[in-house]
């Protein structure tokens, strides 16, 4: 896929809000979600973001604004999930995105503007559902900086396991507890081994954490037993969202000897509703490099295209809104900022490795990138890194009330992720918001 007219930084829309400085959803973006009018009994259906509006793809499919493959794609987007649309593949994804661009760009004909305007729903009047029927969810572990930071807390003498540098490590997550932005969940209960104790205790998680990740939505699946070569991997990826892999650290560290995460991870995962397509992300590609002192990937995880443009410069920010700040009318406190370009493995390498043993992925499956941390302390993607395992509490800046501190998350805390891309010669595009809120432990505890 090559850059084209939809990436032109000079392109504008006839919708003024799409041209505003800092807008996440200009005409160069056009991400997909599933929505309905808030509080209604309407069926959920696909939509495309533009400015402060949602293009109702069910209404657009029923209009005269689309034809051919674009119309067929919109008809599948009119369903309650995007799975069937994703299964159509890159040609259909591009046909629909380009057709919507033509309806929304500044040079659209009056007839086209009239059709598109009739399909708009104000974004502040909608609610979202998960965009796909997620059959399977796999969470990776692909940030070397995160591995070093957390590994030093668990295994000071050997923080990064040898296999990390040779393959994208992952575990199979729980799809049933994935929710869309705005998700609220109860603090999990479980076993933990207190320091110095000889027997575990049962109770509410005391070391609740977030993990700043991206979610990768699988577009076209593969046949069982037929791996996806690295050079073809991105033909199977529809797009990317933000993802919060909530983590109960005390439960997780006790249970992870010798197997992987289980109850410490399966109680909640939050994703942002909007999927930014791989086509929209083309201007923000960068070379993927591996320094000479690091092991070079095995042949199946190496390809010239991946080295030339496998990395993605997606800027990411974490903020925390506490109950006190909310009551005082204060803005959320920013905790960290980083970029996905620091990740040790690319999304294409993750997908290829996932299928190498013969595993069959399905349209709508979700991959988590693993926590995204950068090389400096203020670029950490989890609170356990920022506080060094809770030993150095964070002071939340900027509040008008009593200054608050955090070692780990407390009840009533809302964690907010935001992501965006900007580069010379390209428009700024964004991912919207990914927000989740911690409630007290459930009554069953």
């Amino acid at each position: 896929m090559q850059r084209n007219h939809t990436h032109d930084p000079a392109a504008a829309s006839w919708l003024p809000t799409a041209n505003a400085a800092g807008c996440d959803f200009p005409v160069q973006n056009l991400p997909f979600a599933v929505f309905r009018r808030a509080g209604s009994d309407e069926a959920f259906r696909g939509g495309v973001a533009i400015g402060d509006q949602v293009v109702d793809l069910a209404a657009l499919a029923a209009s005269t604004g689309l034809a051919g493959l674009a119309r067929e794609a919109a008809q599948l987007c009119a369903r309650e999930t995007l799975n069937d649309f994703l299964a159509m593949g890159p040609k259909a994804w591009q046909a629909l995105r380009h057709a919507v661009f033509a309806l929304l760009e500044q040079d659209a004909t009056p007839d086209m503007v009239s059709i598109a305007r009739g399909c708009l729903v104000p974004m502040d009047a909608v609610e979202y559902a998960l965009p796909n029927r997620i059959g399977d969810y796999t969470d990776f572990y692909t940030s070397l900086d995160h591995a070093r930071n957390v590994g030093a807390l668990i295994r000071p003498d050997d923080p990064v396991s040898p296999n990390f540098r040779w393959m994208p490590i992952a575990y199979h997550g729980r799809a049933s507890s994935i929710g869309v932005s705005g998700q609220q969940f109860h603090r999990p209960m479980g076993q933990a081994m207190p320091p110095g104790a000889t027997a575990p205790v049962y109770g509410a998680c005391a070391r609740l954490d977030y993990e700043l990740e991206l979610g990768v939505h699988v577009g076209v699946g593969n046949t069982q037993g037929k791996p996806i070569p690295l050079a073809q991997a991105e033909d199977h990826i529809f797009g990317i969202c933000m993802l919060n892999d909530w983590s109960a650290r005390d439960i997780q560290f006790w249970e992870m000897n010798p197997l992987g995460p289980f109850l410490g991870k399966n109680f909640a995962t939050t994703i942002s509703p909007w999927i930014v397509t791989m086509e929209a992300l083309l201007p923000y590609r960068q070379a993927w490099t591996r320094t000479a002192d690091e092991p070079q990937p095995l042949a199946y995880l190496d390809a010239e295209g991946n080295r030339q443009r496998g990395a993605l410069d997606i800027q990411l920010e974490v903020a925390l809104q506490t109950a006190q700040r909310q009551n005082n009318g204060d803005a959320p406190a920013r905790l960290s900022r980083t970029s996905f370009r620091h990740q040790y493995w690319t999304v294409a390498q993750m997908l290829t490795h996932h299928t190498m043993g013969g595993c069959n992925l399905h349209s709508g499956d979700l991959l988590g990138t693993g926590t995204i941390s950068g090389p400096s302390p203020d670029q950490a993607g989890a609170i356990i890194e920022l506080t060094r395992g809770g030993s150095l509490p964070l002071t939340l800046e900027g509040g008008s009330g009593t200054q608050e501190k955090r070692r780990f998350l407390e009840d009533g805390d809302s964690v907010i992720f935001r992501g965006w891309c900007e580069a010379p010669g390209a428009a700024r595009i964004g991912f919207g918001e990914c927000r989740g809120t911690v409630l007290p432990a459930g009554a069953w505890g």
Side-chain angles (χ1 to χ4, degrees), residues 356-385:
M356 273 301 104
C359 174
N360 52 321
L361 300 176
H362 295 145
S363 296
D365 283 356
L366 183 67
L367 312 180
T369 61
T371 305
I372 303 164
S373 295
S376 62
D378 61 344
Q379 296 181 61
I383 202 168
I384 193 171
E385 298 175 72

Side-chain angles (χ1 to χ4, degrees), residues 34-108:
V34 163
F35 81 101
R36 69 180 179 188
R37 288 177 176 82
S40 74
D41 58 359
E42 296 175 347
F44 282 100
R45 67 275 192 188
V48 168
I50 181 69
D52 61 354
Q53 303 287 311
V54 181
V55 180
D56 184 338
L57 292 177
L60 187 58
S63 74
T64 59
L66 300 176
L69 185 58
R71 186 176 185 185
E72 293 174 27
Q75 288 171 338
L76 294 186
C77 288
R79 299 177 180 178
E80 292 189 348
T81 66
L82 299 177
N83 295 67
D84 293 334
F85 166 58
L86 268 56
M88 294 181 75
K91 288 184 179 179
W93 308 339
Q94 186 178 70
L96 181 54
R97 182 172 174 275
H98 285 212
V100 174
F101 181 93
L103 288 166
L104 295 171
E105 68 173 328
Q106 197 167 39
D107 294 336

Side-chain angles (χ1 to χ4, degrees), residues 123-177:
M123 203 172 281
D124 61 6
V126 309
E127 59 186 359
Y128 302 101
L130 291 175
N132 306 321
R133 184 177 59 257
I134 302 171
D136 280 296
Y137 164 50
T138 302
D139 195 27
F140 282 84
Y141 182 57
T142 61
S143 167
L144 181 58
D145 295 299
H146 175 69
R148 285 171 173 156
N149 295 340
V150 176
L153 300 173
I154 307 171
R155 303 175 301 276
D157 298 331
D158 185 25
V160 181
S161 59
N163 60 353
F164 182 93
R165 289 178 163 88
W166 289 100
M167 63 181 177
I169 299 171
Y171 69 92
H172 192 78
R174 184 72 185 175
S176 64
S177 54

Side-chain angles (χ1 to χ4, degrees), residues 375-395:
S376 62
D378 61 344
Q379 296 181 61
I383 202 168
I384 193 171
E385 298 175 72
L386 294 171
T387 66
R388 298 185 188 179
S391 63
L392 296 175
L394 289 174
T395 298

Side-chain angles (χ1 to χ4, degrees), residues 177-199:
S177 54
I178 299 173
V180 76
S181 182
Q183 182 180 27
Q184 299 181 338
F185 63 92
H186 291 282
R187 179 178 296 271
M189 305 292 294
Q191 284 192 28
M193 179 68 82
T198 57

